[in-house]
Amino acid sequence: MESNPTDVCYESDHTAESEFNVINYFNDDDSNLFFHRVDSDQIIYQPRQKKAKLFGQYIMGDILGEGSYGKVKECLDSKTLCRRAVKILKKKKLRKIPNGEANVKREIGLLRHLNHQNVIRLYDVLHNEEKQKMYLVVEYCVGGLQDMLDYAPGKKFPIWQAHDYFHQLLRGLEYLHSQSIVHKDIKPGNLLIATNEVVKITDLGVAEVLDIYMTSDICRTSQGSPAFQPPEIANGDEEFSGFKVDIWSSGVTLYNFTTGKYPFEGDNIFRLFENIASGEYTIPNELDSSLAELLRHLLEYNPANRPTIKEIREYSWMRRKHPQNTERVPSPPANDMLDAHHRMSVLPYLEDLHRVESTDDGPSDDDKTSKHHQLAPPSPSVAKKQAVQKSKKSTCRQS
Amino acid sequence: MPLWKSTKSPQELVRSLRDALLCLSTMDTQRDSRKIQKASEEVSKTLVTMKNMLYGTPDQDPQSEVMAQLAQEVYNNNILLLLVQTLHRIDFEGKKDVAQIFNNLLRRQIGTRMPTVEYICTNSDILFTLLKGYEHQDIALTCGMMLRECCRHEELARIVLHSDKFYNFFTYVEMSTFDIASDAFSTFKELLTRHKILCADFLEANYDSVFDHYQRLLNSENYVTRRQALKLLGELLLDRHNFTIMTRYISNPDNLKLMMNMLREKSRNIQFEGFHVFKVFVANPNKPRPILEILLRNKDKLVDFLTKFHTDRSEDEQFNDEKAYLIKQIKELKPLDPPVHH
C-alpha cells in the first residue's frame, strides 16, 4: 500500500497468493536457483499491487495528497458505501511541529460539532496505537482551490467562477462565525472542492473559539499564513477583532481568485509585514469597478471599516449574475495528472478483495504474467487457479 | 426558432393556462365533471410545455428570449397565485410540474435583480396560500417545496416571519401526518436560521410570543416534535448571532427548570439534547440570582445525577469534558448571601 515499490513487493510476500510462489521457489530450488536474483525487478512489476486494505470499516484507495502531517488517501466506507478521504497523521511527525498535537486535538473537537455544507465534515476518528497513527475520515474532495489556481491560465479563475466560490466561502465563514469560531487562516490553500463544485473550508488547526458569553470577538494570537494577514496583525497589535481578520483574508483570497496575484508581497516575512502595515496596494485596472470597490472595502486598513458578511452580500458585484462566457477552470486531474474525472481509486482494491483478477494494468497485464510463467513454471494447482482467474477476467471484460 | 413555430407562443400558452385554471377553480366538481376533466387535461398539457420552455428538452435548449416572455406573461396574468390556489385540482404529475416551474422562475435573475422575487414581494398572497397548503394533505408537500424555495430569499422570508401567519407553523409541525409535520418543521427551521441577522432581529423583537409558542413544542406529546424542537433550540441559542436571545433565555429560571426536566425524560436522545441546552445555563459565568438559587438548591442531587448521566458515552471525549466541567462548576457554587431586605 505504500508508494514505494519495494514496499509493495515486500507486503505482497505476506499474502496467500505469493506464498504459493514461495513454495514454488522451494520446489524448483534445484532446477534453477539464479532466477531469484535476475527476477527481482520482475517481481516488483507483478501486477498484484492493489492489495485491499481494510481499516475499521474503511477500504483504502490511492493517495490523494501529502501534507506536513502525513498522507491523505481516498477510502470507501463499507457500511454506508460513501466515498471518503482519510487524513493519516503520524504522531511522530506531529510532535515535531510546534503545537502539532494540541492543534489537531482541538481541530477534531471543533470539527465534530460542525455541520455545514461549506465546511469540511469530519465523520470518524480512528487510532492505531501500534503504528502511532491517527486517521481522520472526512468528506471526499477532488482538490484544493490553490491547486486549481496553480494550473489555471494566469493563475486566476474566470469572474463567474470566482464569484461562485467566494459566495460559498462567505456561507461557510458565516456559519463558522455563528458557531463562535474565528478561522484565522482563510486562503485558497485551505479551500477544497468537492465533486459537485461545492467549496469546503478546511484546516481549523489555528482557529480560535470565542467565549460564547462574551459579545466581543477580541483575539490575541494569530498563526495564519503571512500573505493573508491584516495590518493589525502585521503591526503586532495586542488585541484585534477576530472576525475582521477572516474578512480581510477573504478579501486577499478574492483578490487572488480574480487577479492571480496578491495585494501584498515581500521577499521575506518582515518585508511582507512591512508592506501590509503600509496599507499600500494596487488593484489592477482591468478589474470591473464594482469588484474593485468590493475589494477596497474588504481590504480596509481599519478593521472597524471592513464590512460584515451581510454587508458584503449586499454589494452589487455579489448580487450580480456573472455571465459564464469563459470556460471553467477544472480541478487538477488525479493520479499524477492521468485521471481528469477522478474515478474512484478504491475499485481496483475492492476487486482484489473479492478475488476478481484485477485489470488495472490493461493488456500489458498478460504480458507480465507470461513472463512470470517463463521464469517460474507454476505448480499444477497454481496453474489451475490462474486459469480460473483468467476465465473470470475474460467474462468480466465481455460484460 | 423552428421548433416553436407549430406550437403556441408564451402569450397563447399562458392565456390558455389561465382560462383552464379559472375553469378548474370555479367549476362545481359534481355538475361539470366533464368540463373539469377537459380543463384538467389542458392544464397538465400546458404545464409540460411551459416546463420544457424553461428547462429545455433533449433536442432544444431553453431560449432566454422565450423564457423572458413566458415569465412576463406569468406575472401579468397572476399565474403563480392561480396555480397555487388551484393546485389541489391539478393531477399528480401536474403538481410536480408546478413546483418545478415555480422554482425555476423564482431563481430567475437579471443583473442584480430577481424579478420573480420582486413580484412575489408585492403579491404576498402567494406566500400565504403556500403556507396554508400545509393544511391540505394532497398539496402540503408540493407547497412546502415551493415555500422553502421562497424562504431562501431574505425579502420573502421577512414577509413570512413578520406575519401573524408565521405562528401557524407551531400547529403545522405537530400535524398527525408525519411527512407533512417534518416538512413543515424544515421550513420552520429554515425561516429561523437561514438569514442570520433577519432571524436574530425577529427573535429579539418577538421574543415573548415566539418563546411562548416554542414552549408548547418543547412540551409536546409528540416525541419527534419535542426532540426536534429541543435540538433546534440548542442551535438557536448557541448561534452567536442570537447572543441577546441566548442571554435572555438563560436568565429565566423557568427555562432552567424545563431543561432539568428534559434531563430526566424517558428518551435518552431527549436527555442528551437537553444536556446541550442545560450546559449553557450552568457554564454561564454571570448566572443571575434566580438561576443560582435553583442550582444551589439542587446542588447535591445534580452532581450525583450528572455523575451517573450517560456514562456509556465514553467515546465522546467532548461530552465527557463538558460533563466534568459542569460537575465541577456545580460543586464549586458558593452559597448566596441572604437577599437584602429594605
Side-chain angles (χ1 to χ4, degrees):
Chain A
M1 279 328 109
E2 308 293 301
S3 59
N4 192 334
T6 54
D7 284 357
V8 172
C9 170
Y10 183 75
E11 265 195 32
S12 68
D13 278 353
H14 297 289
T15 63
E17 226 167 300
S18 46
E19 260 166 42
F20 271 111
N21 292 338
V22 173
I23 294 165
N24 239 349
Y25 296 147
F26 281 123
N27 289 346
D28 300 333
D29 240 351
D30 34 21
S31 60
N32 191 346
L33 253 172
F34 289 111
F35 78 83
H36 263 105
R37 286 162 56 199
V38 180
D39 197 32
S40 64
D41 57 27
Q42 301 284 348
I43 294 173
I44 291 168
Y45 277 91
Q46 273 183 18
R48 265 167 276 307
Q49 294 184 5
K50 309 255 177 192
K51 287 284 168 239
K53 185 157 114 189
L54 266 138
F55 190 78
Q57 68 199 65
Y58 304 95
I59 302 154
M60 297 300 196
D62 286 345
I63 293 175
L64 295 171
E66 264 176 85
S68 52
Y69 294 167
K71 290 176 197 130
V72 181
K73 281 186 182 179
E74 184 178 342
C75 71
L76 179 76
D77 184 335
S78 64
K79 280 195 183 151
T80 62
L81 296 187
C82 287
R83 195 180 188 186
R84 304 271 184 246
V86 57
K87 215 169 153 178
I88 305 168
L89 307 178
K90 287 194 178 141
K91 291 191 183 166
K92 224 198 234 163
K93 281 191 184 175
L94 224 50
R95 279 186 211 112
K96 286 182 193 150
I97 301 164
N99 296 326
E101 263 181 305
N103 282 353
V104 168
K105 213 176 160 196
R106 239 166 32 95
E107 185 174 3
I108 292 173
L110 279 179
L111 283 177
R112 268 187 199 279
H113 279 256
L114 299 179
N115 180 8
H116 188 270
Q117 87 146 351
N118 299 114
V119 177
I120 193 85
R121 188 85 186 269
L122 176 69
Y123 290 100
D124 207 353
V125 181
L126 305 158
H127 295 270
N128 187 338
E129 290 306 333
E130 201 184 315
K131 286 190 182 172
Q132 284 286 298
K133 278 182 185 173
M134 218 154 128
Y135 298 77
L136 310 190
V137 182
V138 295
E139 272 173 296
Y140 173 80
C141 289
V142 293
L145 296 191
Q146 186 60 57
D147 301 327
M148 289 168 74
L149 285 166
D150 288 344
Y151 291 101
K155 297 201 177 236
K156 59 183 181 181
F157 291 126
I159 291 297
W160 64 271
Q161 200 174 356
H163 179 261
D164 174 24
Y165 292 164
F166 190 65
H167 249 297
Q168 297 193 49
L169 164 61
L170 286 187
R171 243 174 276 148
L173 199 57
E174 178 178 62
Y175 174 74
L176 289 180
H177 289 182
S178 81
Q179 301 299 303
S180 298
I181 296 171
V182 183
H183 186 281
K184 289 191 181 173
D185 201 11
I186 293 291
K187 57 174 181 177
N190 283 337
L191 302 173
L192 301 180
I193 191 104
T195 39
N196 46 356
E197 285 290 313
V198 176
V199 171
K200 309 276 178 188
I201 299 179
T202 180
D203 199 349
L204 279 79
V206 298
E208 178 169 344
V209 190
L210 302 167
D211 184 337
I212 63 159
Y213 301 103
M214 303 265 284
T215 31
S216 96
D217 61 337
I218 290 295
C219 293
R220 289 178 182 82
T221 57
S222 170
Q223 304 174 47
S225 313
F228 293 82
Q229 300 296 303
E232 58 271 26
I233 289 174
N235 279 328
D237 288 7
E238 292 269 306
E239 293 183 342
F240 45 86
S241 154
F243 293 147
K244 292 298 164 81
V245 171
D246 283 344
I247 299 287
W248 171 281
S249 313
S250 308
V252 181
T253 303
L254 181 61
Y255 188 104
N256 185 241
F257 280 174
T258 51
T259 65
K261 304 189 183 80
Y262 299 97
F264 303 96
E265 294 185 17
D267 300 334
N268 54 48
I269 189 166
F270 303 105
R271 284 277 165 73
L272 177 63
F273 274 1
E274 229 172 74
N275 291 341
I276 295 174
S278 77
E280 279 167 35
Y281 66 95
T282 49
I283 290 177
N285 286 331
E286 68 267 21
L287 277 198
D288 179 295
S289 64
S290 63
L291 174 56
E293 188 193 342
L294 170 60
L295 285 173
R296 263 193 287 275
H297 202 183
L298 292 168
L299 300 177
E300 275 278 358
Y301 195 89
N302 181 352
N305 295 337
R306 277 173 225 151
T308 61
I309 290 177
K310 187 178 157 62
E311 285 161 357
I312 299 173
R313 288 213 180 99
E314 281 158 9
Y315 265 82
S316 80
W317 187 80
M318 292 301 293
R319 297 183 63 107
R320 192 137 28 103
K321 190 177 171 186
H322 298 273
Q324 294 194 17
N325 44 15
T326 30
E327 211 151 299
R328 173 189 297 283
V329 168
S331 52
N335 206 350
D336 291 331
M337 317 309 287
L338 290 174
D339 183 6
H341 303 290
H342 299 273
R343 270 168 295 197
M344 203 156 93
S345 69
V346 177
L347 278 182
Y349 297 95
L350 260 181
E351 278 167 6
D352 171 81
L353 188 68
H354 293 282
R355 293 264 151 241
V356 176
E357 183 69 345
S358 71
T359 53
D360 46 359
D361 283 287
S364 62
D365 192 11
D366 293 327
D367 202 64
K368 279 166 199 155
T369 347
S370 59
K371 253 186 213 162
H372 182 64
H373 284 185
Q374 284 166 11
L375 292 162
S379 67
S381 67
V382 175
K384 200 174 158 194
K385 195 178 161 202
Q386 282 180 342
V388 171
Q389 279 171 347
K390 266 199 169 166
S391 70
K392 258 190 205 164
K393 185 162 63 186
S394 58
T395 49
C396 271
R397 277 188 184 153
Q398 274 163 17
S399 61
Chain B
M1 301 176 289
L3 256 177
W4 299 117
K5 229 174 218 169
S6 56
T7 53
K8 288 176 180 166
S9 70
Q11 286 86 343
E12 290 167 321
L13 206 59
V14 168
R15 200 167 317 129
S16 68
L17 178 64
R18 189 195 55 191
D19 293 344
L21 285 173
L22 284 173
C23 178
L24 273 190
S25 61
T26 49
M27 291 285 175
D28 183 327
T29 32
Q30 301 295 310
R31 239 182 30 221
D32 313 302
S33 68
R34 280 206 45 214
K35 274 188 190 164
I36 285 196
Q37 173 86 25
K38 258 196 86 189
S40 166
E41 279 167 19
E42 177 68 22
V43 168
S44 309
K45 218 175 68 195
T46 323
L47 287 172
V48 172
T49 319
M50 280 174 67
K51 190 180 73 177
N52 290 341
M53 273 188 189
L54 293 171
Y55 286 91
T57 60
D59 359 87
Q60 173 103 33
D61 282 340
Q63 296 176 326
S64 53
E65 201 181 313
V66 179
M67 286 167 78
Q69 280 177 27
L70 183 67
Q72 206 49 54
E73 289 302 317
V74 166
Y75 307 147
N76 291 346
N77 290 283
N78 284 326
I79 293 295
L80 293 183
L81 182 60
L82 209 51
L83 276 174
V84 175
Q85 280 170 339
T86 35
L87 195 61
H88 59 287
R89 294 216 170 157
I90 299 176
D91 64 16
F92 180 71
E93 285 299 322
K95 285 194 186 89
K96 290 202 297 192
D97 291 340
V98 170
Q100 277 194 292
I101 292 168
F102 188 96
N103 290 349
N104 181 298
L105 287 173
L106 201 59
R107 285 193 291 265
R108 240 167 76 78
Q109 187 170 7
I110 305 167
T112 56
R113 290 185 47 228
M114 311 274 299
T116 310
V117 174
E118 287 169 22
Y119 169 79
I120 297 179
C121 273
T122 51
N123 292 272
S124 51
D125 277 3
I126 297 171
L127 293 172
F128 299 117
T129 317
L130 286 174
L131 184 60
K132 204 149 174 63
Y134 277 123
E135 291 167 26
H136 305 281
Q137 193 126 16
D138 48 340
I139 56 168
L141 298 184
T142 318
C143 286
M145 212 153 61
M146 293 187 269
L147 185 59
R148 249 191 324 284
E149 190 71 28
C150 288
C151 293
R152 297 171 65 119
H153 300 276
E154 189 164 349
E155 300 87 336
L156 301 182
R158 177 176 289 116
I159 295 174
V160 180
L161 272 180
H162 286 283
S163 118
D164 290 341
K165 308 233 171 55
F166 169 75
Y167 294 93
N168 290 349
F169 270 109
F170 290 96
T171 319
Y172 299 156
V173 299
E174 288 213 79
M175 299 272 275
S176 55
T177 318
F178 176 72
D179 47 355
I180 298 180
S182 48
D183 190 284
F185 195 87
S186 50
T187 313
F188 177 68
K189 184 177 170 186
E190 179 88 1
L191 277 166
L192 287 179
T193 53
R194 184 166 185 108
H195 309 284
K196 302 290 186 193
I197 311 284
L198 169 69
C199 301
D201 290 347
F202 166 74
L203 288 174
E204 228 173 302
N206 301 280
Y207 182 93
D208 289 325
S209 54
V210 173
F211 283 96
D212 258 8
H213 282 82
Y214 209 100
Q215 199 80 351
R216 283 204 337 242
L217 299 186
L218 294 171
N219 288 318
S220 163
E221 303 211 327
N222 183 332
Y223 163 74
V224 181
T225 309
R226 218 159 57 234
R227 186 175 163 190
Q228 279 182 318
L230 190 56
K231 190 166 172 18
L232 177 60
L233 176 68
E235 277 174 44
L236 287 174
L237 296 182
L238 289 173
D239 189 318
R240 207 173 176 83
H241 295 92
N242 298 332
F243 182 81
T244 335
I245 296 128
M246 184 264 285
T247 358
R248 188 157 169 195
Y249 192 87
I250 61 168
S251 307
N252 183 337
D254 289 336
N255 294 336
L256 175 59
K257 279 183 217 158
L258 179 66
M259 286 312 134
M260 285 165 65
N261 285 331
M262 292 287 181
L263 291 177
R264 294 190 306 180
E265 273 261 357
K266 259 208 312 258
S267 149
R268 275 174 55 85
N269 287 317
I270 291 193
Q271 294 171 0
F272 193 58
E273 296 293 351
F275 174 84
H276 288 296
V277 181
F278 173 73
K279 72 183 182 192
V280 189
F281 287 87
V282 183
N284 180 9
N286 309 307
K287 290 180 269 291
R289 191 176 181 99
I291 298 289
L292 274 173
E293 278 169 356
I294 295 180
L295 292 176
L296 276 168
R297 214 180 308 135
N298 298 282
K299 188 171 167 177
D300 297 336
K301 267 187 273 175
L302 273 172
V303 169
D304 189 47
F305 180 85
L306 286 174
T307 314
K308 292 177 192 146
F309 185 73
H310 289 216
T311 42
D312 49 345
R313 287 189 197 270
S314 53
E315 299 237 320
D316 189 342
E317 245 179 84
Q318 191 135 5
F319 166 72
N320 287 308
D321 287 352
E322 284 177 353
K323 201 173 77 169
Y325 180 75
L326 293 195
I327 294 173
K328 186 169 163 279
Q329 285 278 306
I330 296 173
K331 270 186 183 162
E332 288 173 0
L333 284 177
K334 297 256 155 34
L336 288 165
D337 302 328
V340 187
H341 293 289
H342 293 284

